[in-house]
Coordinates of all heavy atoms in Angstrom, one line a residue:
M103 N 4.8 -26.7 8.5 CA 5.3 -25.8 9.6 C 4.1 -25.1 10.2 O 3.3 -24.5 9.5 CB 6.3 -24.8 9.1 CG 6.7 -23.8 10.2 SD 7.6 -22.5 9.4 CE 9.2 -22.7 10.3
S104 N 3.9 -25.3 11.5 CA 2.8 -24.6 12.2 C 3.2 -23.3 12.7 O 4.4 -23.1 13.0 CB 2.2 -25.5 13.3 OG 3.2 -25.6 14.3
K105 N 2.3 -22.4 12.8 CA 2.6 -21.1 13.3 C 1.8 -20.9 14.6 O 0.6 -21.1 14.7 CB 2.1 -20.0 12.3 CG 2.9 -20.0 11.1 CD 2.5 -18.9 10.2 CE 3.3 -18.9 8.9 NZ 2.9 -17.9 7.9
N106 N 2.5 -20.6 15.7 CA 1.9 -20.4 17.0 C 2.3 -19.1 17.6 O 3.4 -18.6 17.3 CB 2.4 -21.5 17.9 CG 2.0 -22.9 17.5 OD1 0.9 -23.2 17.1 ND2 3.0 -23.8 17.4
I107 N 1.4 -18.6 18.4 CA 1.6 -17.4 19.1 C 1.4 -17.7 20.6 O 0.3 -18.3 20.9 CB 0.7 -16.2 18.6 CG1 1.0 -15.9 17.1 CG2 0.9 -15.0 19.5 CD1 0.1 -14.9 16.6
I108 N 2.2 -17.2 21.4 CA 2.0 -17.4 22.9 C 1.8 -16.0 23.4 O 2.5 -15.1 23.2 CB 3.3 -18.0 23.5 CG1 3.5 -19.4 22.9 CG2 3.1 -18.1 25.0 CD1 4.8 -20.1 23.4
F109 N 0.7 -15.9 24.2 CA 0.4 -14.6 24.9 C 0.5 -14.8 26.4 O 0.2 -15.8 26.9 CB -1.1 -14.2 24.6 CG -1.4 -13.8 23.2 CD1 -2.0 -14.7 22.3 CD2 -1.0 -12.5 22.7 CE1 -2.2 -14.3 21.0 CE2 -1.3 -12.1 21.4 CZ -1.9 -13.0 20.6
D110 N 1.0 -13.7 27.0 CA 0.9 -13.6 28.4 C -0.4 -13.0 28.7 O -0.7 -11.9 28.5 CB 2.1 -12.7 28.9 CG 2.0 -12.4 30.4 OD1 1.2 -13.0 31.1 OD2 2.8 -11.6 30.9
M111 N -1.3 -13.9 29.2 CA -2.7 -13.5 29.4 C -2.9 -12.4 30.5 O -3.6 -11.4 30.3 CB -3.6 -14.7 29.8 CG -3.6 -15.8 28.8 SD -4.7 -15.4 27.4 CE -6.3 -15.4 28.2
D112 N -2.3 -12.6 31.6 CA -2.5 -11.7 32.8 C -1.8 -10.4 32.6 O -0.6 -10.3 32.6 CB -2.0 -12.4 34.0 CG -2.4 -11.8 35.3 OD1 -3.5 -11.1 35.3 OD2 -1.8 -11.9 36.3
G113 N -2.6 -9.4 32.4 CA -2.1 -8.0 32.2 C -1.9 -7.7 30.8 O -1.6 -6.5 30.4
V114 N -2.0 -8.6 29.8 CA -1.8 -8.4 28.4 C -3.2 -8.5 27.7 O -3.7 -7.6 27.0 CB -0.8 -9.3 27.8 CG1 -0.7 -9.1 26.3 CG2 0.6 -9.1 28.5
I115 N -3.8 -9.7 27.9 CA -5.1 -10.0 27.3 C -6.2 -9.6 28.4 O -7.2 -9.0 28.1 CB -5.3 -11.4 26.9 CG1 -4.2 -11.8 25.9 CG2 -6.6 -11.7 26.3 CD1 -4.2 -11.1 24.6
L116 N -6.0 -10.1 29.6 CA -6.9 -9.9 30.7 C -6.5 -8.7 31.4 O -5.3 -8.5 31.7 CB -7.0 -11.1 31.6 CG -7.3 -12.4 30.9 CD1 -7.3 -13.6 31.9 CD2 -8.7 -12.4 30.3
D117 N -7.4 -7.9 31.9 CA -7.1 -6.6 32.6 C -7.2 -6.9 34.1 O -7.8 -6.1 34.8 CB -8.1 -5.5 32.1 CG -7.5 -4.2 32.3 OD1 -6.3 -4.1 32.9 OD2 -8.1 -3.2 32.0
S118 N -6.6 -7.9 34.5 CA -6.6 -8.2 36.0 C -5.8 -7.2 36.8 O -6.2 -6.9 37.9 CB -6.0 -9.6 36.2 OG -4.7 -9.7 35.6
E119 N -4.8 -6.6 36.2 CA -4.0 -5.6 36.9 C -4.9 -4.4 37.3 O -4.8 -3.9 38.5 CB -2.8 -5.1 36.1 CG -1.8 -6.2 35.9 CD -0.7 -5.9 34.9 OE1 -0.9 -4.9 34.1 OE2 0.3 -6.5 34.9
R120 N -5.7 -3.9 36.4 CA -6.6 -2.8 36.8 C -7.6 -3.2 37.9 O -7.8 -2.4 38.8 CB -7.3 -2.3 35.6 CG -8.1 -1.0 35.8 CD -8.9 -0.6 34.6 NE -8.0 -0.7 33.4 CZ -8.0 0.2 32.5 NH1 -8.7 1.3 32.6 NH2 -7.2 0.1 31.4
L121 N -8.1 -4.4 37.8 CA -9.1 -4.8 38.8 C -8.3 -4.9 40.2 O -8.9 -4.5 41.2 CB -9.7 -6.2 38.4 CG -10.6 -6.8 39.4 CD1 -11.7 -5.9 39.8 CD2 -11.1 -8.2 38.9
L122 N -7.1 -5.5 40.2 CA -6.4 -5.6 41.4 C -6.0 -4.2 42.0 O -6.1 -4.0 43.2 CB -5.1 -6.5 41.3 CG -5.4 -8.0 41.2 CD1 -4.2 -8.7 40.7 CD2 -5.8 -8.5 42.6
L123 N -5.7 -3.3 41.1 CA -5.4 -2.0 41.6 C -6.6 -1.3 42.2 O -6.5 -0.7 43.3 CB -4.9 -1.1 40.4 CG -4.6 0.4 40.7 CD1 -3.5 0.5 41.8 CD2 -4.2 1.1 39.5
T124 N -7.8 -1.5 41.6 CA -9.0 -1.0 42.2 C -9.3 -1.7 43.6 O -9.7 -1.0 44.5 CB -10.2 -1.3 41.3 OG1 -10.0 -0.7 40.0 CG2 -11.5 -0.9 41.8
I125 N -9.1 -2.9 43.7 CA -9.3 -3.6 45.0 C -8.3 -3.1 46.0 O -8.7 -2.9 47.1 CB -9.1 -5.2 44.7 CG1 -10.3 -5.7 43.9 CG2 -9.0 -5.9 46.1 CD1 -10.2 -7.1 43.4
W126 N -7.0 -3.0 45.7 CA -6.1 -2.5 46.7 C -6.4 -1.0 47.1 O -6.2 -0.6 48.2 CB -4.6 -2.6 46.1 CG -4.1 -4.0 46.4 CD1 -4.0 -5.0 45.4 CD2 -3.6 -4.5 47.6 NE1 -3.5 -6.1 46.0 CE2 -3.2 -5.9 47.3 CE3 -3.4 -4.0 48.8 CZ2 -2.6 -6.7 48.3 CZ3 -2.8 -4.8 49.8 CH2 -2.4 -6.1 49.5
E127 N -6.9 -0.3 46.1 CA -7.3 1.1 46.4 C -8.4 1.1 47.5 O -8.4 1.9 48.4 CB -7.7 1.8 45.2 CG -8.0 3.3 45.4 CD -8.2 4.0 44.0 OE1 -8.7 3.3 43.1 OE2 -8.0 5.2 44.0
Y128 N -9.4 0.2 47.2 CA -10.5 0.1 48.2 C -10.0 -0.4 49.5 O -10.5 0.2 50.6 CB -11.5 -0.9 47.6 CG -12.6 -1.3 48.5 CD1 -13.7 -0.4 48.7 CD2 -12.6 -2.4 49.3 CE1 -14.8 -0.7 49.6 CE2 -13.6 -2.7 50.2 CZ -14.7 -1.9 50.3 OH -15.7 -2.2 51.2
I129 N -9.1 -1.3 49.6 CA -8.6 -1.8 50.9 C -7.9 -0.7 51.6 O -8.0 -0.5 52.8 CB -7.7 -3.0 50.6 CG1 -8.5 -4.2 50.2 CG2 -6.8 -3.3 51.9 CD1 -7.7 -5.4 49.8
G130 N -7.1 0.1 50.8 CA -6.4 1.3 51.4 C -7.4 2.3 52.1 O -7.2 2.8 53.2
H131 N -8.5 2.5 51.4 CA -9.6 3.4 51.9 C -10.2 2.8 53.1 O -10.4 3.5 54.1 CB -10.6 3.6 50.8 CG -11.8 4.4 51.3 ND1 -11.7 5.8 51.5 CD2 -13.0 4.1 51.6 CE1 -12.9 6.2 51.9 NE2 -13.7 5.2 52.0
E132 N -10.5 1.5 53.1 CA -11.2 0.8 54.2 C -10.3 0.7 55.4 O -10.8 0.8 56.6 CB -11.6 -0.6 53.8 CG -12.8 -0.7 52.9 CD -14.1 -0.1 53.5 OE1 -14.5 -0.6 54.5 OE2 -14.6 0.8 53.0
H133 N -9.0 0.6 55.3 CA -8.1 0.5 56.4 C -7.3 1.8 56.7 O -6.3 1.8 57.4 CB -7.1 -0.7 56.1 CG -7.8 -2.0 56.1 ND1 -8.0 -2.7 57.2 CD2 -8.3 -2.7 55.0 CE1 -8.6 -3.9 56.9 NE2 -8.8 -3.9 55.6
N134 N -7.8 2.9 56.1 CA -7.1 4.2 56.3 C -5.6 4.2 56.0 O -4.8 4.6 56.8 CB -7.4 4.7 57.7 CG -7.2 6.2 57.9 OD1 -7.3 6.9 56.9 ND2 -6.8 6.6 59.1
I135 N -5.3 3.7 54.8 CA -3.9 3.7 54.3 C -4.0 4.4 52.9 O -4.1 3.8 51.9 CB -3.4 2.3 54.1 CG1 -3.6 1.4 55.3 CG2 -1.9 2.3 53.7 CD1 -3.4 -0.1 55.1
P136 N -4.0 5.8 53.0 CA -4.2 6.6 51.8 C -3.2 6.4 50.7 O -3.5 6.6 49.5 CB -4.2 8.0 52.3 CG -3.5 8.0 53.6 CD -3.7 6.6 54.2
T137 N -2.0 5.9 50.9 CA -1.0 5.8 49.9 C -0.9 4.4 49.3 O 0.0 4.1 48.5 CB 0.4 6.2 50.4 OG1 0.7 5.3 51.6 CG2 0.4 7.6 50.9
L138 N -1.8 3.5 49.7 CA -1.8 2.1 49.3 C -1.8 1.9 47.8 O -1.2 1.1 47.2 CB -2.8 1.3 50.0 CG -2.7 -0.3 49.9 CD1 -1.3 -0.7 50.3 CD2 -3.7 -1.0 50.7
R139 N -2.7 2.8 47.1 CA -2.8 2.7 45.7 C -1.4 3.0 45.0 O -1.0 2.2 44.1 CB -3.8 3.7 45.2 CG -4.0 3.6 43.6 CD -5.0 4.7 43.2 NE -5.4 4.5 41.8 CZ -4.7 4.8 40.7 NH1 -3.5 5.4 40.9 NH2 -5.1 4.6 39.5
E140 N -0.8 4.0 45.4 CA 0.5 4.4 44.9 C 1.6 3.3 45.1 O 2.4 3.0 44.3 CB 1.0 5.7 45.4 CG 0.2 6.9 44.9 CD -1.2 7.1 45.6 OE1 -1.4 6.5 46.7 OE2 -2.0 7.7 45.0
T141 N 1.5 2.7 46.3 CA 2.5 1.7 46.6 C 2.2 0.5 45.8 O 3.1 -0.2 45.3 CB 2.4 1.3 48.1 OG1 2.7 2.5 48.9 CG2 3.4 0.3 48.5
Y142 N 0.9 0.1 45.6 CA 0.6 -1.1 44.8 C 1.0 -0.9 43.3 O 1.4 -1.8 42.7 CB -0.9 -1.4 44.9 CG -1.2 -2.7 44.2 CD1 -0.8 -3.9 44.7 CD2 -1.7 -2.7 42.9 CE1 -0.9 -5.1 44.0 CE2 -1.9 -3.9 42.2 CZ -1.5 -5.1 42.7 OH -1.7 -6.3 42.0
L143 N 1.0 0.3 42.8 CA 1.4 0.6 41.5 C 2.9 0.2 41.3 O 3.2 -0.3 40.2 CB 1.3 2.1 41.1 CG -0.1 2.6 40.8 CD1 -0.1 4.1 40.7 CD2 -0.6 2.0 39.5
K144 N 3.7 0.2 42.3 CA 5.1 -0.2 42.2 C 5.2 -1.8 42.2 O 6.2 -2.3 41.8 CB 5.9 0.2 43.5 CG 6.0 1.7 43.6 CD 6.6 2.1 44.9 CE 6.6 3.6 45.2 NZ 7.1 3.9 46.5
C145 N 4.1 -2.4 42.5 CA 4.1 -3.9 42.6 C 3.6 -4.6 41.3 O 3.7 -5.8 41.2 CB 3.3 -4.3 43.8 SG 3.8 -3.7 45.3
I146 N 3.0 -3.8 40.4 CA 2.5 -4.4 39.2 C 3.6 -5.0 38.4 O 4.6 -4.4 38.1 CB 1.7 -3.4 38.4 CG1 0.4 -3.0 39.2 CG2 1.3 -3.9 37.0 CD1 -0.4 -1.9 38.5
G147 N 3.4 -6.3 38.0 CA 4.4 -7.0 37.2 C 5.6 -7.6 38.0 O 6.4 -8.2 37.4
V148 N 5.5 -7.6 39.3 CA 6.6 -8.2 40.1 C 6.0 -9.4 40.8 O 4.8 -9.7 40.8 CB 7.2 -7.2 41.1 CG1 7.8 -6.0 40.4 CG2 6.3 -6.8 42.2
T149 N 6.9 -10.2 41.4 CA 6.5 -11.4 42.1 C 5.8 -11.1 43.4 O 5.9 -10.0 43.9 CB 7.8 -12.3 42.4 OG1 8.6 -11.6 43.4 CG2 8.6 -12.6 41.2
K150 N 5.2 -12.1 43.9 CA 4.5 -12.0 45.2 C 5.5 -11.7 46.3 O 5.2 -10.8 47.2 CB 3.7 -13.3 45.6 CG 2.5 -13.5 44.8 CD 1.9 -14.9 45.1 CE 0.7 -15.2 44.2 NZ 0.1 -16.4 44.5
D151 N 6.7 -12.3 46.3 CA 7.7 -12.0 47.3 C 8.2 -10.6 47.2 O 8.4 -9.9 48.2 CB 8.9 -13.0 47.1 CG 8.5 -14.4 47.5 OD1 7.5 -14.6 48.2 OD2 9.2 -15.3 47.0
L152 N 8.4 -10.1 46.0 CA 8.8 -8.7 45.9 C 7.7 -7.7 46.3 O 8.0 -6.7 46.9 CB 9.3 -8.4 44.4 CG 10.0 -7.1 44.2 CD1 11.1 -6.8 45.2 CD2 10.5 -7.0 42.8
T153 N 6.5 -8.1 46.0 CA 5.4 -7.2 46.4 C 5.4 -7.1 47.9 O 5.2 -6.0 48.5 CB 4.0 -7.8 45.9 OG1 4.0 -7.8 44.5 CG2 2.9 -7.0 46.5
R154 N 5.6 -8.2 48.6 CA 5.6 -8.2 50.1 C 6.8 -7.4 50.6 O 6.6 -6.5 51.5 CB 5.8 -9.7 50.6 CG 5.8 -9.8 52.1 CD 6.0 -11.3 52.5 NE 5.8 -11.5 53.9 CZ 6.7 -11.2 54.8 NH1 7.9 -10.7 54.4 NH2 6.5 -11.4 56.1
E155 N 7.9 -7.5 49.9 CA 9.1 -6.6 50.3 C 8.8 -5.2 50.2 O 9.1 -4.4 51.0 CB 10.3 -7.0 49.5 CG 11.0 -8.3 49.9 CD 12.2 -8.5 49.0 OE1 13.0 -7.5 48.6 OE2 12.5 -9.7 48.6
I156 N 8.2 -4.8 49.0 CA 7.9 -3.4 48.8 C 6.9 -2.9 49.8 O 7.1 -1.8 50.4 CB 7.3 -3.2 47.4 CG1 8.3 -3.5 46.3 CG2 6.7 -1.8 47.2 CD1 7.8 -3.6 44.9
M157 N 5.9 -3.7 50.1 CA 4.9 -3.2 51.1 C 5.5 -3.1 52.5 O 5.3 -2.1 53.2 CB 3.7 -4.2 51.2 CG 2.9 -4.3 50.0 SD 1.9 -2.8 49.8 CE 0.8 -3.3 48.5
L158 N 6.4 -4.0 52.9 CA 7.0 -3.9 54.2 C 8.0 -2.8 54.3 O 8.2 -2.2 55.3 CB 7.6 -5.3 54.6 CG 6.6 -6.4 54.8 CD1 7.3 -7.7 55.2 CD2 5.5 -6.1 55.9
E159 N 8.8 -2.6 53.2 CA 9.7 -1.5 53.2 C 9.0 -0.1 53.3 O 9.5 0.8 53.9 CB 10.6 -1.5 51.9 CG 11.6 -2.6 51.9 CD 12.4 -2.7 50.6 OE1 12.1 -1.8 49.7 OE2 13.2 -3.6 50.4
T160 N 7.8 -0.1 52.6 CA 7.1 1.2 52.6 C 6.4 1.4 54.0 O 6.4 2.6 54.5 CB 6.0 1.2 51.5 OG1 6.7 0.9 50.3 CG2 5.3 2.5 51.5
Y161 N 5.8 0.4 54.5 CA 4.9 0.6 55.7 C 5.5 0.1 57.0 O 4.9 0.2 58.1 CB 3.5 0.0 55.5 CG 2.8 0.7 54.3 CD1 2.7 0.0 53.1 CD2 2.4 2.0 54.4 CE1 2.0 0.6 52.0 CE2 1.8 2.6 53.3 CZ 1.6 1.9 52.1 OH 1.0 2.5 51.1
G162 N 6.6 -0.6 57.0 CA 7.3 -1.1 58.2 C 7.0 -2.6 58.4 O 6.0 -3.2 57.8
P163 N 7.8 -3.2 59.3 CA 7.7 -4.7 59.5 C 6.4 -5.1 60.1 O 6.0 -6.3 60.1 CB 8.9 -5.0 60.4 CG 9.2 -3.7 61.0 CD 8.8 -2.6 60.1
D164 N 5.6 -4.2 60.8 CA 4.4 -4.6 61.4 C 3.2 -4.5 60.5 O 2.1 -4.7 60.9 CB 4.2 -3.7 62.7 CG 5.2 -4.0 63.8 OD1 5.8 -5.1 63.8 OD2 5.4 -3.1 64.6
F165 N 3.4 -4.1 59.3 CA 2.3 -3.9 58.3 C 1.7 -5.3 58.1 O 2.3 -6.3 57.8 CB 2.9 -3.3 57.0 CG 1.8 -3.1 56.0 CD1 0.9 -2.0 56.1 CD2 1.7 -3.9 54.8 CE1 0.0 -1.7 55.2 CE2 0.7 -3.6 53.9 CZ -0.1 -2.5 54.0
P166 N 0.3 -5.3 58.2 CA -0.4 -6.6 58.0 C -0.5 -7.1 56.6 O -1.7 -7.3 56.1 CB -1.7 -6.4 58.7 CG -2.0 -4.9 58.4 CD -0.6 -4.3 58.5
Y167 N 0.6 -7.2 55.9 CA 0.5 -7.5 54.4 C -0.3 -8.8 54.1 O -1.1 -8.8 53.3 CB 1.9 -7.5 53.8 CG 1.9 -8.0 52.4 CD1 1.3 -7.2 51.4 CD2 2.3 -9.3 52.1 CE1 1.2 -7.7 50.1 CE2 2.2 -9.8 50.8 CZ 1.7 -9.0 49.8 OH 1.6 -9.5 48.5
E168 N 0.0 -9.8 54.9 CA -0.6 -11.1 54.6 C -2.1 -11.1 54.7 O -2.9 -11.6 53.9 CB 0.0 -12.3 55.4 CG 1.4 -12.7 55.0 CD 1.5 -13.1 53.5 OE1 0.6 -13.8 53.0 OE2 2.5 -12.8 52.8
E169 N -2.6 -10.4 55.8 CA -4.0 -10.2 56.0 C -4.6 -9.4 54.8 O -5.7 -9.8 54.3 CB -4.3 -9.5 57.3 CG -3.9 -10.3 58.5 CD -4.1 -9.4 59.8 OE1 -4.9 -8.5 59.8 OE2 -3.3 -9.7 60.7
L170 N -4.0 -8.4 54.4 CA -4.5 -7.5 53.4 C -4.5 -8.2 52.0 O -5.4 -8.1 51.2 CB -3.8 -6.2 53.3 CG -4.0 -5.3 54.6 CD1 -3.2 -4.0 54.4 CD2 -5.4 -5.1 54.9
R171 N -3.4 -9.0 51.8 CA -3.3 -9.8 50.6 C -4.4 -10.8 50.5 O -5.0 -11.0 49.4 CB -1.9 -10.5 50.5 CG -1.7 -11.2 49.2 CD -0.6 -12.2 49.3 NE -0.7 -13.2 50.3 CZ -1.5 -14.3 50.2 NH1 -2.3 -14.5 49.1 NH2 -1.6 -15.2 51.1
K172 N -4.7 -11.5 51.6 CA -5.8 -12.4 51.6 C -7.2 -11.7 51.3 O -8.0 -12.3 50.6 CB -5.9 -13.2 53.0 CG -4.8 -14.2 53.1 CD -4.8 -14.9 54.5 CE -3.6 -15.8 54.6 NZ -3.5 -16.4 56.0
E173 N -7.3 -10.6 51.9 CA -8.6 -9.8 51.7 C -8.7 -9.4 50.2 O -9.7 -9.6 49.6 CB -8.5 -8.5 52.5 CG -9.8 -7.7 52.4 CD -9.8 -6.5 53.4 OE1 -9.1 -6.5 54.4 OE2 -10.5 -5.5 53.0
A174 N -7.6 -9.0 49.6 CA -7.6 -8.7 48.2 C -7.9 -9.9 47.3 O -8.6 -9.8 46.3 CB -6.2 -8.0 47.8
S175 N -7.3 -11.0 47.7 CA -7.5 -12.2 46.9 C -9.0 -12.7 47.0 O -9.6 -13.1 46.0 CB -6.6 -13.3 47.5 OG -6.8 -14.6 46.8
E176 N -9.6 -12.6 48.2 CA -11.0 -12.9 48.3 C -11.9 -12.0 47.5 O -12.8 -12.4 46.8 CB -11.4 -12.9 49.8 CG -10.9 -14.1 50.6 CD -11.3 -15.4 50.0 OE1 -12.5 -15.6 49.7 OE2 -10.5 -16.3 49.9
Q177 N -11.6 -10.7 47.5 CA -12.4 -9.7 46.7 C -12.2 -10.0 45.2 O -13.2 -9.9 44.5 CB -11.9 -8.3 47.0 CG -12.5 -7.8 48.3 CD -12.2 -6.3 48.5 OE1 -12.3 -5.5 47.5 NE2 -12.0 -5.9 49.7
F178 N -11.0 -10.4 44.8 CA -10.7 -10.7 43.4 C -11.6 -11.9 43.0 O -12.2 -11.9 41.9 CB -9.3 -10.9 43.2 CG -8.9 -11.2 41.7 CD1 -8.7 -10.1 40.9 CD2 -8.8 -12.5 41.2 CE1 -8.4 -10.3 39.5 CE2 -8.5 -12.7 39.9 CZ -8.3 -11.6 39.1
K179 N -11.6 -12.9 43.8 CA -12.4 -14.1 43.5 C -13.8 -13.8 43.4 O -14.5 -14.2 42.5 CB -12.1 -15.2 44.6 CG -10.8 -15.8 44.5 CD -10.6 -16.8 45.7 CE -9.2 -17.2 45.8 NZ -8.9 -18.1 47.0
E180 N -14.4 -13.0 44.4 CA -15.8 -12.6 44.4 C -16.1 -11.8 43.1 O -17.2 -12.1 42.5 CB -16.1 -11.8 45.6 CG -16.1 -12.6 46.9 CD -16.3 -11.8 48.2 OE1 -16.8 -10.6 48.0 OE2 -16.0 -12.2 49.3
R181 N -15.3 -10.9 42.8 CA -15.7 -10.0 41.7 C -15.6 -10.7 40.4 O -16.4 -10.5 39.5 CB -14.7 -8.8 41.7 CG -15.0 -7.8 42.8 CD -14.2 -6.6 42.7 NE -14.3 -5.7 43.9 CZ -14.0 -4.4 43.9 NH1 -13.6 -3.8 42.8 NH2 -14.1 -3.8 45.0
T182 N -14.5 -11.6 40.2 CA -14.4 -12.3 38.9 C -15.5 -13.4 38.8 O -15.9 -13.7 37.7 CB -13.0 -12.9 38.8 OG1 -12.6 -13.7 39.9 CG2 -12.0 -11.7 38.6
K183 N -15.9 -14.0 39.9 CA -16.9 -15.0 39.9 C -18.2 -14.3 39.4 O -19.0 -14.9 38.6 CB -17.1 -15.6 41.3 CG -18.1 -16.8 41.3 CD -18.2 -17.4 42.6 CE -19.2 -18.6 42.6 NZ -19.2 -19.3 43.9
K184 N -18.5 -13.1 39.9 CA -19.7 -12.4 39.6 C -19.6 -11.8 38.2 O -20.6 -12.0 37.4 CB -19.9 -11.3 40.6 CG -21.2 -10.4 40.3 CD -21.3 -9.3 41.3 CE -22.4 -8.4 40.9 NZ -22.2 -7.0 41.4
D185 N -18.5 -11.2 37.8 CA -18.5 -10.4 36.6 C -17.5 -10.9 35.6 O -17.3 -10.4 34.5 CB -18.1 -8.9 36.9 CG -19.1 -8.3 37.8 OD1 -20.3 -8.5 37.7 OD2 -18.6 -7.5 38.7
G186 N -16.7 -11.9 35.9 CA -15.6 -12.4 35.0 C -14.4 -11.5 35.2 O -14.4 -10.5 35.8
V187 N -13.3 -11.9 34.5 CA -12.1 -11.1 34.5 C -12.2 -10.1 33.3 O -12.5 -10.5 32.2 CB -10.8 -12.0 34.3 CG1 -9.6 -11.1 34.3 CG2 -10.8 -13.0 35.4
P188 N -12.0 -8.8 33.6 CA -12.1 -7.9 32.5 C -11.0 -8.2 31.4 O -9.9 -8.6 31.7 CB -11.8 -6.5 33.1 CG -11.7 -6.8 34.6 CD -11.6 -8.2 34.8
V189 N -11.4 -7.9 30.2 CA -10.5 -8.1 29.0 C -10.0 -6.7 28.6 O -10.8 -5.7 28.6 CB -11.3 -8.8 27.9 CG1 -10.4 -8.9 26.6 CG2 -11.8 -10.2 28.3
K190 N -8.7 -6.7 28.2 CA -8.1 -5.4 27.7 C -8.9 -4.9 26.5 O -9.3 -5.7 25.6 CB -6.7 -5.6 27.4 CG -5.8 -5.8 28.6 CD -5.3 -4.5 29.1 CE -4.1 -4.7 30.1 NZ -3.5 -3.5 30.5
T191 N -9.0 -3.6 26.3 CA -9.6 -3.0 25.2 C -8.9 -3.5 23.9 O -7.6 -3.4 23.8 CB -9.6 -1.5 25.3 OG1 -10.3 -1.1 26.5 CG2 -10.3 -0.9 24.1
G192 N -9.6 -4.0 23.0 CA -9.0 -4.4 21.7 C -8.5 -5.8 21.6 O -8.1 -6.3 20.6
A193 N -8.4 -6.5 22.8 CA -7.8 -7.8 22.8 C -8.6 -8.8 22.0 O -8.0 -9.6 21.2 CB -7.7 -8.3 24.3
R194 N -9.9 -8.8 22.1 CA -10.8 -9.7 21.3 C -10.6 -9.5 19.8 O -10.4 -10.5 19.1 CB -12.2 -9.6 21.7 CG -12.6 -10.2 23.1 CD -14.1 -10.1 23.3 NE -14.4 -10.8 24.5 CZ -14.6 -10.2 25.7 NH1 -14.5 -8.9 25.8 NH2 -14.9 -10.8 26.8
E195 N -10.6 -8.3 19.4 CA -10.4 -8.0 18.0 C -9.0 -8.4 17.5 O -8.9 -8.9 16.4 CB -10.6 -6.5 17.7 CG -12.0 -6.0 18.0 CD -12.3 -5.7 19.5 OE1 -11.4 -5.9 20.4 OE2 -13.5 -5.4 19.9
F196 N -8.0 -8.2 18.3 CA -6.7 -8.6 17.9 C -6.6 -10.1 17.7 O -6.0 -10.5 16.7 CB -5.7 -8.1 19.0 CG -4.3 -8.5 18.7 CD1 -3.5 -7.9 17.7 CD2 -3.7 -9.5 19.4 CE1 -2.2 -8.3 17.4 CE2 -2.4 -10.0 19.2 CZ -1.7 -9.3 18.1
I197 N -7.1 -10.8 18.6 CA -7.0 -12.3 18.5 C -7.8 -12.8 17.3 O -7.3 -13.7 16.7 CB -7.5 -13.0 19.9 CG1 -6.5 -12.6 21.0 CG2 -7.7 -14.4 19.7 CD1 -6.9 -13.1 22.3
Q198 N -9.0 -12.2 17.1 CA -9.7 -12.6 15.9 C -9.0 -12.3 14.6 O -9.0 -13.0 13.7 CB -11.1 -12.0 15.8 CG -12.0 -12.5 16.9 CD -13.3 -11.7 17.0 OE1 -13.5 -10.7 16.3 NE2 -14.2 -12.2 17.8

């Protein structure tokens, strides 16, 4: 009998959520949307479609969500290409 463990990597082992929060906070600052960080906190752990709904409910139907999402995605790619994806504290030790 083999023993296997399945991990949800994103947000459990990898600290991508914190990096994305930082990116959305930066975008909020750059686009003069001071509450974007707080709004994005409501989106952690939900689907892309629900994130879009939350953003549009919060900021209205004219909110340029798709443009900002693309900007966030590009920043995420750039940062992770340069520095890698951050790992949650203690994750490496736990896996070992």
Side-chain angles (χ1 to χ4, degrees):
M103 173 191 242
S104 68
K105 295 180 181 180
N106 298 310
I107 298 175
I108 298 174
F109 290 102
D110 176 4
M111 298 284 292
D112 193 24
V114 177
I115 304 296
L116 302 176
D117 204 358
S118 55
E119 292 171 342
R120 185 182 317 222
L121 176 56
L122 282 166
L123 180 60
T124 300
I125 290 168
W126 278 99
E127 185 175 30
Y128 173 80
I129 288 171
H131 176 75
E132 288 295 302
H133 293 274
N134 198 26
I135 310 167
T137 59
L138 193 54
R139 180 184 194 281
E140 290 75 20
T141 303
Y142 185 75
L143 282 170
K144 298 175 189 175
C145 301
I146 293 175
V148 303
T149 65
K150 289 179 185 179
D151 290 338
L152 187 52
T153 297
R154 183 179 188 282
E155 282 182 40
I156 292 168
M157 293 288 187
L158 295 179
E159 284 176 7
T160 303
Y161 299 109
D164 294 334
F165 184 71
Y167 172 71
E168 287 302 323
E169 291 174 31
L170 298 180
R171 184 194 60 76
K172 286 178 185 175
E173 185 177 333
S175 179
E176 287 301 314
Q177 284 191 34
F178 184 83
K179 287 176 191 174
E180 288 175 19
R181 290 182 188 204
T182 57
K183 185 176 181 178
K184 179 183 172 204
D185 302 323
V187 179
V189 176
K190 291 271 195 171
T191 303
R194 286 187 174 97
E195 295 80 4
F196 176 73
I197 291 172
Q198 290 175 350

